[in-house]
Amino acid sequence: MRVAIVQNAPAFGQVRANVKTAIEMMDAAGPFDLAVLPELFSTGYLFRDAGETAALAEPLPGGQAFAMLAAYASKRGIRICAGIAEEASGRLFNSAVLLGPSGMLAKYRKIHLFDTEKACFSPGDLPFTAADCGGFKAGIMICFDWIFPEAARTLALLGCSVILHPANLVFPYCPPAMATRAIENRVFTVTANRVGEERGRKFSGGSVIWSPRMENILTCPDAEGAFVAEIEPAEAESKNITGRNNLFEDRRPEMYGL
Ligand code: ACM
């Protein structure tokens, strides 16, 4: 399966133009099956307050960025995971969707909000889910969720072979740390980080794909564009570590209580 990581540099608030640019990058990438775009790829990241977020958030499904990406996924017969600011009954979420050729396969609302996001979004209120991608399952977590091992573990226990991870990274720790999320769960991780500068903060790409054996399948440069790599989700199915050790069967949840 060919995976495209799209590193865009959104112009703050320019939703239509940002989605159009991301689609042009995917057009230029050639054939692939699944694209992963950054967190809040259509709006930009550094909202000043909830009022500014409300002005740019959209219903999921139904909003402008959603509709443009859904049409593109349908036209190309691909899947796309992308981070979009969501408005739902007056509440605002830092969300991401997984779209397939026939519509939405999954929606996730960021559970662990980072820093100023707490003033601009409500914490996610939906459980982690595994989306059926025809032959394998994929699940979504967003950026800062990475530092809570429970997020990736939950997705792995739900049966996900691939963790889709839209991000807007502000610290350098995440890309190498995702190797641990991959090996400790025997899954593929696909972290899509943005590039460019916004309101004085620089984002530097470096998106990564790690394999269930902790191989670095792809590390992107600090540049706009879509970068494609090949993965085989079936490699994440076996959780055997040795002849006597299975990652999930050897867990001792009864010993983990505090
Ligand atoms: C982050 O969660 N965007 C750092």
Side-chain angles (χ1 to χ4, degrees), residues 39 45 94 110 112 114 117 142-145 167-170:
E39 177 183 15
Y45 176 69
N94 182 343
K110 189 176 185 178
H112 306 100
F114 180 73
E117 291 173 28
I142 300 178
C143 205
F144 191 50
D145 284 330
N168 273 198
L169 298 172
V170 297

Side-chain angles (χ1 to χ4, degrees), residues 61-114:
Q64 181 176 48
F66 182 96
M68 291 171 77
L69 282 188
Y72 187 71
S74 169
K75 184 177 109 181
R76 281 197 64 174
I78 55 171
R79 297 186 179 87
I80 302 176
C81 177
I84 299 175
E86 179 187 12
E87 187 279 326
S89 305
R91 293 203 299 158
L92 303 165
F93 297 100
N94 182 343
S95 297
V97 290
L98 176 61
L99 304 167
S102 309
M104 189 164 78
L105 298 169
K107 177 168 75 175
Y108 169 69
R109 293 170 169 166
K110 189 176 185 178
I111 287 175
H112 306 100
L113 295 177
F114 180 73

Side-chain angles (χ1 to χ4, degrees), residues 19-20 46 48 96 105 108 137 160 165 194 231 254 258:
V19 181
K20 196 165 164 283
L46 288 162
R48 290 208 170 90
L105 298 169
Y108 169 69
K137 288 182 184 162
C160 295
H165 185 212
R194 61 165 286 184
I231 67 169
E254 73 278 15
L258 302 181

Side-chain angles (χ1 to χ4, degrees), residues 1-7 34-39 79-82 96 98 136-143 146 152 155 161-169 174-175 178-179 181-182 187-193 206-212 215-220 227-233:
M1 179 176 85
R2 287 168 70 84
V3 179
I5 289 183
V6 179
Q7 293 192 156
L34 166 71
V36 186
L37 279 61
E39 177 183 15
R79 297 186 179 87
I80 302 176
C81 177
L98 176 61
F136 72 96
K137 288 182 184 162
I140 308 171
M141 62 184 206
I142 300 178
C143 205
W146 74 269
L155 291 171
S161 302
V162 183
I163 292 182
L164 311 169
H165 185 212
N168 273 198
L169 298 172
C174 173
M178 287 306 291
R181 296 292 164 270
V187 293
F188 287 93
T189 63
V190 183
T191 299
N193 188 28
S207 300
V208 280
I209 299 179
W210 292 99
S211 83
E215 296 144 330
N216 181 225
I217 305 289
L218 177 69
T219 294
C220 301
F227 303 87
V228 178
E230 186 109 21
I231 67 169
E232 179 42 73

